[in-house]
Amino acid sequence: KKLVEELGLQTYTIHTGVFEAIFEPDVSNKTVAEAAGYNIDEIVRKKDRALATAALSEGMKILIPKLYKEGKFDGILSFGGSGGTALVTPAMRELPIGVPKLMVSTMASGDVERYVGTSDILMMPSIVDVAGINKISKIIFKNAALAIAGMVGNKENLEEEQGEEKPLIAASMFGVTTPCVEQAKAVLEKAGYEVLVFHATGTGGKTMETLISAGFFQGVLDLTTTEWCDELVGGVLSAGSTRCEAAIKCKIPQVVSVGACDMVNFGPMDTIPEQFSSRNLYKHNPTVTLMRTTVPENQKIGAMLASKWNQTETDMAILLPEKGVSMIDAEGQPFDGVEERKALFDAIENGIDNGHVEIIKLDCNINDKLFAETAAQKLIDLMEKK
């Protein structure tokens, strides 16, 4: 608090702990607890850490967006171990993208997906435990104060870009579908659209779905639906069971395909689960190993995609590239699979019985110019029709 104020900014403090604060905060823990329907004195008496964390976290989740809308703060900074991080980050995720959010945490060097989710929270390693002031923590906390002060206090020093506001399109891409999406992007940009590309790595798909639901996009070019392979087969880049739902629920025009559905993602080769050790594996890079999907797996993936797309109440198009769904599912490449593609396409065609869905088969690979330009033009047609 003192450091931030020394940097010329005001502070607005919220007490998220159970016991008494060392100074008078602007928002007490009593207020935080009451926001979620709890009494702080009762929480103290019960001496239940899990209950306390859950109650205060829920209170913060309710209070933080409300206080932000009231103009009480412009950025948020918090410090914590695993409990403190789990307590505050759900509230941070309720704030709009672009609001500075910095979490100094003992958990920051590990898997932070559970804390960051699809938000833009910055996770800063605390190095030592967040338990008092010492030689190391002084350095870290000072840098945290400088970081949040820089984000909040210096934003006026960078002029807002002036330019035409173009309609936004969401596109999904993987390394092995990059040529396709880049070519389609060029067509869409020439037509006056701005394309935001999301890497189909699980988090990327979740983020895209979240922003579609938030109303950012006028169209969706979801050509890379590979995250369903990981969800159904057991890879490491799943986007969860609600992938491919947002555009349909929001009735946003979309063109979709099966990009990279020839693969399931794992870490380094020595991390491959034993049951998959004899499968067709491809070392994409030192930290990523790809596994070719089988005929039965493709039937399952195709059926799932069809069940999602079949729910649309607005016109959409499914494009199927008959000569391969990725760079390495092509003639002479390690994942080239005629039978696997047939199983995938048949499952989709057999599963679709919705008059709003057009299925277009193209005699090319997904990364060929014909496919990319057809996908882009079809999306333009659907958006203009709407």
Side-chain angles (χ1 to χ4, degrees), residues 347-384:
I348 291 170
E349 291 182 280
N350 293 334
I352 296 293
D353 59 0
N354 185 326
H356 289 294
V357 182
E358 180 183 7
I359 298 176
I360 303 169
K361 282 187 167 183
L362 294 170
D363 186 28
C364 61
N365 183 274
I366 195 169
N367 289 304
D368 290 343
K369 184 179 180 182
L370 171 65
F371 188 92
E373 292 185 348
T374 302
Q377 188 57 54
K378 189 65 186 177
L379 182 58
I380 291 169
D381 293 345
L382 288 172
M383 289 188 293
E384 289 181 350

Side-chain angles (χ1 to χ4, degrees), residues 29-46:
N29 55 354
K30 179 182 178 183
T31 301
V32 175
E34 284 176 351
Y38 292 89
N39 181 291
I40 194 65
D41 296 326
E42 191 175 322
I43 289 173
V44 171
R45 280 195 299 273
K46 287 189 175 180

Side-chain angles (χ1 to χ4, degrees), residues 79-136:
F79 303 80
S82 60
T85 305
L87 195 157
V88 178
T89 50
M92 289 182 172
R93 294 197 298 268
E94 294 296 308
L95 294 170
I97 286 176
V99 177
K101 314 167 186 71
L102 179 58
M103 182 75 227
V104 182
S105 172
T106 59
M107 308 299 288
S109 62
D111 179 5
V112 298
E113 183 181 0
R114 74 194 79 171
Y115 307 120
V116 177
T118 58
S119 75
D120 58 343
I121 297 171
L122 290 174
M123 298 289 290
M124 182 176 180
S126 63
I127 307 301
V128 293
D129 196 8
V130 180
I133 304 295
N134 56 54
K135 187 174 182 179
I136 300 295

Side-chain angles (χ1 to χ4, degrees), residues 179-236:
C180 170
V181 177
E182 288 293 335
Q183 291 175 91
K185 181 171 177 277
V187 174
L188 290 162
E189 288 175 342
K190 189 175 180 181
Y193 296 93
E194 183 177 352
V195 181
L196 274 59
V197 178
F198 297 86
H199 200 189
T201 56
T203 301
K206 289 177 185 175
T207 303
M208 184 177 80
E209 297 278 322
T210 298
L211 294 180
I212 291 170
S213 297
F216 279 87
F217 301 108
Q218 281 67 55
V220 175
L221 192 70
D222 195 3
L223 301 182
T224 311
T225 46
T226 182
E227 287 152 319
W228 271 110
C229 301
D230 292 68
E231 171 71 12
L232 296 175
V233 181
V236 297

Side-chain angles (χ1 to χ4, degrees), residues 77-354:
L77 167 67
S78 192
F79 303 80
S82 60
T85 305
L87 195 157
V88 178
T89 50
M92 289 182 172
R93 294 197 298 268
E94 294 296 308
L95 294 170
I97 286 176
V99 177
K101 314 167 186 71
L102 179 58
M103 182 75 227
V104 182
S105 172
T106 59
M107 308 299 288
S109 62
D111 179 5
V112 298
E113 183 181 0
R114 74 194 79 171
Y115 307 120
V116 177
T118 58
S119 75
D120 58 343
I121 297 171
L122 290 174
M123 298 289 290
M124 182 176 180
S126 63
I127 307 301
V128 293
D129 196 8
V130 180
I133 304 295
N134 56 54
K135 187 174 182 179
I136 300 295
S137 64
K138 276 184 181 179
I139 297 168
I140 302 300
F141 295 172
K142 182 178 179 181
N143 283 341
L146 287 165
I148 198 73
M151 286 187 280
V152 173
N154 286 332
K155 64 181 180 181
E156 304 302 330
N157 294 338
L158 295 176
E159 290 184 14
E160 291 268 343
E161 279 194 40
Q162 301 299 316
E164 180 188 356
E165 284 286 326
K166 297 179 180 179
L168 292 179
I169 291 172
S172 58
M173 188 172 81
F174 218 38
V176 292
T177 61
T178 297
C180 170
V181 177
E182 288 293 335
Q183 291 175 91
K185 181 171 177 277
V187 174
L188 290 162
E189 288 175 342
K190 189 175 180 181
Y193 296 93
E194 183 177 352
V195 181
L196 274 59
V197 178
F198 297 86
H199 200 189
T201 56
T203 301
K206 289 177 185 175
T207 303
M208 184 177 80
E209 297 278 322
T210 298
L211 294 180
I212 291 170
S213 297
F216 279 87
F217 301 108
Q218 281 67 55
V220 175
L221 192 70
D222 195 3
L223 301 182
T224 311
T225 46
T226 182
E227 287 152 319
W228 271 110
C229 301
D230 292 68
E231 171 71 12
L232 296 175
V233 181
V236 297
L237 298 183
S238 166
S241 61
T242 58
R243 180 72 172 86
C244 300
E245 292 183 1
I248 289 172
K249 287 180 179 177
C250 296
K251 299 184 178 180
I252 296 171
Q254 64 171 337
V255 171
V256 301
S257 188
V258 289
C261 281
D262 55 326
M263 60 189 63
V264 180
N265 293 266
F266 295 104
M269 194 69 77
D270 59 4
T271 67
I272 302 296
E274 179 63 30
Q275 69 266 32
F276 299 133
S277 59
S278 62
R279 293 278 293 272
N280 182 1
L281 303 173
Y282 178 77
K283 188 176 179 180
H284 185 63
N285 62 46
T287 60
V288 175
T289 306
L290 309 176
M291 180 178 76
R292 193 16 163 142
T293 49
T294 63
V295 166
E297 288 166 357
N298 274 281
Q299 291 170 337
K300 189 176 179 182
I301 293 160
M304 176 57 74
L305 287 169
S307 73
K308 294 292 181 181
W309 295 332
N310 223 11
Q311 296 173 38
T312 186
E313 295 177 5
T314 53
D315 291 347
M316 65 176 287
I318 303 170
L319 270 61
L320 301 176
E322 295 187 299
K323 290 188 177 176
V325 302
S326 82
M327 278 182 185
I328 58 174
D329 176 31
E331 187 176 353
Q333 294 300 310
F335 282 3
D336 185 18
V338 175
E339 292 303 314
E340 289 87 349
R341 290 196 294 274
K342 184 177 185 305
L344 178 66
F345 297 170
D346 285 351
I348 291 170
E349 291 182 280
N350 293 334
I352 296 293
D353 59 0
N354 185 326

